[in-house]
């Protein structure tokens, strides 16, 4: 056999041995898990089994085996039996009151050492010591030492045949080893519990983040729906009113109004389909170009190429033309040179102007005019002021339908996204009208 073959064979044997060891470890872990699960469901059964085992062992020793190690073999058998029961039966309560169990065992251990019986059942005290170190504050181990040491010292003084090292030192070393084992188990339990708690907190935090994200998305969609539907319906209403008045005297103007209504309606439908398309989990969901969700219509692609992007500053002129067509004269002024702004900030400016003009269409009354002033600052700052000249009688006091609704709340939320500020309210007397001012600072540019 060559060296390479020998290496391959040995590698295969190592892999097989590692696989066997891993399987054995998995089986042991599974068995321990089942034992712990059973102990958690029925702790009294496990305590009774453990106590019964040590009672049988102690009574077996009391049957005569204790004389092989006793310093005085003439100790009455009845006393030895009683001492054995006192050293074993209290284990039934070791889980709930380990230190009290040790306190009950200590007098029996003391009598065993004093009489010279030197029962090996005294070692059962270490089980109670394990419980103290596992479940009690560690400072209580000093009480355990105080209960264990006196019987050992008494036995070493009355029967010094084995010396202090054997009579006192060896049991104390055993005590230290038991404590170390209990502390190791306790540390592992606490570490596992901390991992479980951390996983639970992470799950709770994940669920909270998901709910917050869903709430934020719902608020964003509600804002967009309000802006789209509110503005376009206001324009359609204005065009319909104008067309109704012009129908008798100027059919051509009425036809133009109807054309404007059709154009505005198509624009609104396009924006709504784009917004609702984001909500579809399945791109193959029936929808546009028919009515959303209407069965039998062609399937809309996931990202229709004909849909326009979100409105930007370049679309302000089209917005103002639509408002003018609805019957509201609007004067538009621009100060400064427009810097390159992120799409989000452009959308914020567009929606604020749209909402302000929509409110003017709905509340300003006949004969009102509006002014839109956009000021660009060096570095990316933007200030927008929308003022109308509506009649003073229609200006509602605060609070009122125009003072604080979804529209103004949405505008303030949009401004807050870019650390901006929005002010809205009636013009100071004696002027009549309403003013909305948006300010996005230049340090908000990302």
């Amino acid at each position: 056999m060559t060296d390479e073959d020998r290496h391959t064979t040995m590698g295969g044997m190592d892999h097989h041995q590692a696989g066997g060891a891993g399987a054995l470890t998995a089986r042991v872990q599974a068995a321990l898990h089942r034992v712990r699960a059973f102990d958690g469901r029925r702790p009294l059964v496990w305590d009774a089994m453990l106590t019964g085992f040590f009672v049988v062992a102690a009574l077996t020793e009391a049957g005569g085996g204790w004389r092989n190690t006793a310093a005085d073999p003439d100790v009455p058998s009845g006393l030895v039996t009683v001492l054995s029961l006192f050293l074993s039966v209290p284990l039934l309560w070791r889980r709930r009151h380990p230190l009290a169990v040790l306190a009950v065992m200590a007098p029996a251990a003391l009598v065993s050492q004093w009489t010279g019986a030197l029962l090996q059942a005294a070692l059962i005290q270490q089980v109670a010591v394990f419980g103290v170190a596992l479940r009690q504050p560690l400072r209580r181990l000093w009480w355990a030492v105080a209960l264990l040491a006196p019987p050992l010292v008494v036995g070493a003084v009355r029967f010094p045949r084995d010396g202090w090292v054997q009579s006192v030192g060896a049991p104390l070393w055993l005590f230290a080893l038991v404590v170390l084992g209990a502390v190791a188990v306790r540390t592992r339990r606490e570490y596992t519990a901390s991992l479980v708690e951390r996983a639970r907190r992470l799950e709770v935090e994940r669920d909270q983040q998901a709910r917050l994200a869903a709430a934020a998305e719902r608020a964003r969609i509600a804002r967009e729906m309000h802006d789209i539907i509110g503005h376009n319906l206001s324009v359609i209403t204005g065009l319909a009113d104008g067309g109704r008045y012009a129908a008798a005297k100027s059919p051509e103007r009425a036809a133009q109004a109807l054309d404007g209504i059709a154009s505005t309606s198509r624009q609104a439908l396009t924006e709504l389909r784009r917004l609702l398309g984001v909500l579809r989990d399945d791109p193959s969901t029936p929808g546009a170009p028919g009515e959303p969700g209407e069965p039998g219509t062609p399937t809309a692609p996931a990202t229709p190429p004909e849909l326009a992007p979100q409105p930007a500053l370049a679309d302000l002129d089209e917005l103002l033309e639509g408002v003018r067509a609805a019957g509201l004269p609007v004067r538009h002024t621009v100060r400064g040179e427009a810097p390159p702004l992120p799409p989000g900030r452009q959308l914020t400016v567009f929606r604020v102007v749209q909402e302000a003009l929509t409110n003017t269409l709905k509340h300003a009354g006949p004969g009102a005019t509006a002014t839109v002033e956009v000021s660009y600052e060096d570095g990316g700052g933007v200030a927008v002021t929308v003022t109308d000249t509506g009649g003073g009688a229609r200006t509602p006091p605060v609070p009122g339908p125009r003072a604080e609704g979804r529209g103004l709340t949405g505008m303030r939320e949009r401004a807050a996204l870019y650390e901006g500020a929005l002010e809205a309210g009636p013009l100071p007397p004696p002027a009549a009208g309403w003013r909305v001012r948006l300010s996005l600072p230049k340090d908000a540019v990302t």
Side-chain angles (χ1 to χ4, degrees):
M1 179 181 292
T2 63
D3 293 341
E4 183 178 356
D5 294 337
R6 187 181 296 109
H7 177 74
T8 303
T9 303
M10 293 179 66
M13 293 175 61
D14 292 342
H15 179 74
H16 178 73
Q17 292 174 356
L24 178 62
T25 301
R27 286 196 293 269
V28 170
Q29 291 290 341
L32 290 176
H33 179 72
R34 287 193 293 269
V35 170
R36 284 194 294 266
F38 178 80
D39 182 37
R41 293 192 303 269
R42 295 179 175 84
L44 184 60
V45 175
W46 181 257
D47 291 343
M49 292 174 57
L50 183 68
T51 303
F53 170 80
F54 281 109
V55 168
V56 171
L59 292 179
T60 301
E61 182 192 20
W66 63 275
R67 290 187 175 89
N68 297 328
T69 57
D72 183 4
D74 297 329
V75 177
S77 299
L79 178 60
V80 171
T81 301
V82 172
L83 293 177
S84 298
L85 292 175
F86 268 88
L87 288 170
S88 56
V89 172
L91 284 181
L92 188 62
W93 298 275
R94 65 179 179 83
R95 196 191 302 261
R96 289 171 291 178
H97 309 289
L99 195 59
V101 168
L102 194 61
V104 172
M105 292 179 171
L110 181 62
V111 173
S112 172
Q113 296 290 338
W114 180 270
T115 59
L118 304 181
L119 297 176
Q120 297 298 310
L123 295 175
I124 299 176
Q125 295 177 101
Q126 301 298 336
V127 179
V129 169
F130 187 89
V132 172
L134 183 64
R135 297 182 178 88
Q136 299 286 318
L138 294 180
R139 62 178 179 274
R140 295 192 178 181
L141 289 173
W142 293 109
W143 289 101
V145 174
L147 292 172
L148 288 176
L152 300 177
V153 173
V154 168
V157 171
R158 283 183 57 81
F159 307 100
R161 59 177 186 174
D162 294 331
W164 283 79
V165 174
Q166 182 67 22
S167 301
V168 179
L172 290 180
W173 271 111
L174 179 60
F175 170 84
L177 292 176
V178 170
V179 169
L180 287 177
V183 170
V185 174
R186 180 175 184 165
T187 302
R188 181 176 178 82
R189 283 186 178 181
E190 292 176 351
Y191 177 69
T192 303
S194 67
L195 290 180
V196 172
E197 177 62 19
R198 182 171 180 268
R200 187 192 66 81
R201 289 199 304 268
L202 288 176
E203 289 181 358
V204 172
E205 182 179 354
R206 180 199 61 193
D207 295 340
Q208 290 176 344
Q209 292 293 336
R211 286 194 294 268
L212 290 175
E217 184 65 11
R218 284 195 297 269
R220 185 190 70 82
I221 293 172
R223 258 194 329 263
E224 293 294 333
M225 294 284 286
H226 174 272
D227 291 340
I228 294 171
I229 296 176
H231 171 74
N232 287 287
L233 285 182
S234 297
V235 173
I236 290 173
T237 301
L239 290 171
D241 290 340
R244 183 181 61 183
Y245 290 121
K249 298 181 180 180
S250 178
E252 294 182 358
R253 295 290 301 274
Q256 293 176 359
L258 291 175
D259 290 339
I261 290 174
S263 176
T264 304
S265 300
R266 281 192 294 270
Q267 180 183 357
L269 282 176
T270 301
E271 293 186 11
L272 285 176
R273 285 170 182 160
R274 180 178 65 243
L275 181 62
L276 296 176
V278 180
L279 305 179
R280 295 197 184 103
D281 295 331
D282 185 3
S284 63
T285 302
E291 291 300 322
E294 182 181 352
T297 56
T299 301
T303 53
E306 70 276 13
L307 296 184
Q310 289 279 41
L313 291 178
D315 300 309
L316 276 179
D317 291 336
E318 183 179 353
L319 171 67
L320 299 180
E321 288 299 326
V323 174
R324 293 187 184 107
L328 176 65
V330 181
R331 186 166 60 91
H332 182 208
T333 60
V334 179
R335 296 182 180 178
E337 184 177 355
L341 297 176
R345 302 190 76 205
Q346 295 191 43
L347 177 62
T348 297
V349 173
F350 181 91
R351 292 303 190 197
V352 167
V353 174
Q354 184 185 56
E355 177 64 25
L357 293 177
T358 300
N359 286 341
T360 300
L361 281 171
K362 291 192 293 186
H363 301 287
T369 61
T371 301
V372 178
E373 182 179 320
V374 182
S375 300
Y376 298 106
E377 302 174 2
D378 295 338
V382 182
V384 179
T385 303
V386 181
T387 307
D388 65 56
T389 60
R394 56 88 187 174
T395 304
V398 178
R402 182 149 175 213
E404 192 68 34
R406 182 178 295 274
L408 289 180
T409 301
M411 287 194 288
R412 289 195 175 94
E413 290 176 354
R414 289 183 185 277
L417 288 176
Y418 297 94
E419 300 180 359
L422 186 132
E423 301 174 359
L427 294 172
W434 196 272
R435 177 172 57 197
V436 175
R437 177 175 174 80
L438 168 70
S439 176
L440 297 181
K442 57 184 177 182
D443 57 357
V445 177
T446 57

